[in-house]
Amino acid sequence: MINSHSAAYAAAGVNIEAGYEGVKLMKKHVERTFIDGVVSDIGGFGGLFRPDITGMTEPVLVSGTDGVGTKQRIAQIMGKHDTVGIDCVAMCVNDVICVGAKPIFFLDYIAIGKNDPVKVAELVSGVAEGCVQSGCALIGGETAEHPGTMAADDYDLAGFTVGIVDKKDIIDKNRMKPGDVIVALASSGIHSNGYSLVRKVFDIENADLEKYYDELGAKLGETLLTPTRIYVKPVLKALAASDIHGISHITGGGFYENIPRSVPDGLCASVEKSKIVVPPVFSLLQREGGIDERDMFNTYNMGVGMSIIVSQETADECVRTLKAEGENAYIIGEITAAADDNKIIIRD
């Protein structure tokens, strides 16, 4: 038991006892994530993890960091804080899987105006759920109270993950060739990117987030808070079953920025727009905001949270494997020789 209290610090706006209470409340959530390799409990000065490198000839650590972004403002308005932690984890683990790495642990960072132990525990419960979905351990984190620099109800959630891959298994985009197939993995919605534009279009500070939209089949706030889909476990299965030459996590910058990141010079991703299954939330957003179609594809995932470029010979097996793991996976295009410097073409 920690017996710590500072009246002077409390007068300055920092309640260290609330921090201790938050750790107590979040402990049950953190323990859900413990996997083989966890050496330390939460509360120490560092999170300890012993990776299993059995069978690896040259283990390589892969890291990724990100935050939730302004999507968390919607969570704050709605008073619903148990899902944005999933987004935080997803933004990180979906990145490291793009090089073929399995995430092994995660740490979060919460900056908050006034430390509310219950709210902090709700945030961490979402982080823990994201870790469970991706098969990694939550081995530590930090909650920092920022009185005077943040509003009392405000917070910012970020984190990072570390993954591991044998060097020989790192995805090499230079193996890509014309005829390779582009497989789409469906998103759960907007995920966690482009929310500054979302908030502007729907005037979030004044919007009725409880309004039900027939085309969404849900309330607006519920739809906008839908957590980012985590693709780690299905993609690991697909990597073992097929010959994958490139993976892109479709985040901010949409198709035009992210797919080319996995395509080498001299090649082009030719995407057939008619094959993309676009969720209704994007059509609503485009209509309400009067947004140009290209801007939509250059800002949002448009229903494709991740794309996989796989050899033509193993494309069908890749799709079958992903579907068997519960993913809505389907082919949206192919790799061609580049006619110019463009690495992506979205055809009608």
Side-chain angles (χ1 to χ4, degrees):
M1 177 180 177
I2 297 176
N3 183 18
S4 175
H5 174 75
S6 170
Y9 210 9
V14 177
N15 185 349
I16 56 177
E17 292 169 299
Y20 302 143
E21 179 65 20
V23 172
K24 285 171 58 179
L25 293 176
M26 71 178 69
K27 188 176 177 66
K28 63 181 179 182
H29 303 298
V30 174
E31 288 176 345
R32 289 181 60 217
T33 75
F34 285 176
I35 58 176
D36 289 344
V38 175
V39 176
S40 60
D41 201 350
I42 60 170
F45 289 100
L48 305 179
F49 192 91
R50 182 182 64 252
D52 181 4
I53 59 173
T54 304
M56 293 188 181
T57 57
E58 199 169 352
V60 176
L61 296 179
V62 182
S63 60
T65 186
D66 211 334
V68 180
T70 63
K71 180 178 185 176
Q72 62 199 3
R73 178 57 187 154
I74 298 171
Q76 292 164 7
I77 293 171
M78 294 180 65
K80 182 174 174 54
H81 313 290
D82 61 346
T83 62
V84 288
I86 301 173
D87 294 293
C88 185
V89 175
M91 289 295 101
C92 300
V93 297
N94 284 345
D95 276 356
V96 302
I97 194 64
C98 289
V99 298
K102 179 187 185 301
I104 53 177
F105 63 79
F106 190 88
L107 281 83
D108 62 21
Y109 178 84
I110 302 169
I112 192 165
K114 180 177 176 58
N115 195 338
D116 177 342
V118 174
K119 183 187 293 184
V120 169
E122 287 182 31
L123 288 167
V124 174
S125 75
V127 175
E129 175 59 26
C131 288
V132 169
Q133 290 184 22
S134 57
C136 69
L138 178 57
I139 62 170
E142 174 70 11
T143 302
E145 197 168 14
H146 289 182
T149 62
M150 299 177 73
D153 291 335
D154 197 12
Y155 58 77
D156 189 28
L157 174 61
F160 77 91
T161 192
V162 171
I164 193 166
V165 61
D166 203 347
K167 186 176 181 182
K168 65 180 175 56
D169 295 326
I170 294 174
I171 295 174
D172 181 6
K173 68 181 181 180
N174 293 312
R175 296 176 58 236
M176 199 176 296
K177 60 186 183 301
D180 282 355
V181 172
I182 306 170
V183 175
L185 280 72
S187 70
S188 56
I190 298 175
H191 284 184
S192 297
N193 305 102
Y195 271 82
S196 293
L197 180 53
V198 168
R199 292 184 300 113
K200 177 176 182 290
V201 168
F202 291 112
D203 188 17
I204 288 299
E205 298 298 322
N206 302 300
D208 179 8
L209 295 174
E210 292 296 311
K211 181 178 178 179
Y212 183 90
Y213 284 79
D214 288 336
E215 62 190 293
L216 299 178
K219 297 175 182 178
L220 178 62
E222 175 188 343
T223 299
L224 297 181
L225 269 190
T226 302
T228 304
R229 192 161 183 83
I230 292 177
Y231 301 103
V232 171
K233 292 179 181 178
V235 171
L236 286 172
K237 290 290 184 68
L239 283 165
S242 50
D243 185 19
I244 292 175
H245 299 160
I247 304 177
S248 293
H249 182 199
I250 313 300
T251 55
F255 278 56
Y256 285 101
E257 179 178 324
N258 291 290
I259 294 180
R261 292 167 69 179
S262 64
V263 178
D265 292 342
L267 296 180
C268 177
S270 180
V271 176
E272 294 185 46
K273 186 170 59 179
S274 62
K275 292 187 176 180
I276 298 171
V277 181
V278 180
V281 65
F282 294 108
S283 301
L284 176 65
L285 178 61
Q286 183 177 4
R287 184 177 71 247
E288 293 291 319
I291 304 170
D292 178 80
E293 184 178 70
R294 193 190 190 285
D295 283 350
M296 291 294 294
F297 275 91
N298 209 159
T299 307
Y300 299 105
N301 67 63
M302 298 304 286
V304 180
M306 184 164 282
S307 66
I308 294 177
I309 298 171
V310 59
S311 69
Q312 189 175 43
E313 296 78 13
T314 65
D316 289 342
E317 184 59 33
C318 180
V319 171
R320 278 195 298 270
T321 300
L322 291 166
K323 286 184 174 181
E325 292 298 309
E327 295 301 321
N328 180 11
Y330 57 97
I331 294 170
I332 58 170
E334 65 177 351
I335 298 299
T336 64
D340 47 35
D341 290 335
N342 287 331
K343 289 187 178 182
I344 183 169
I345 297 173
I346 301 179
R347 302 180 316 221
D348 290 327

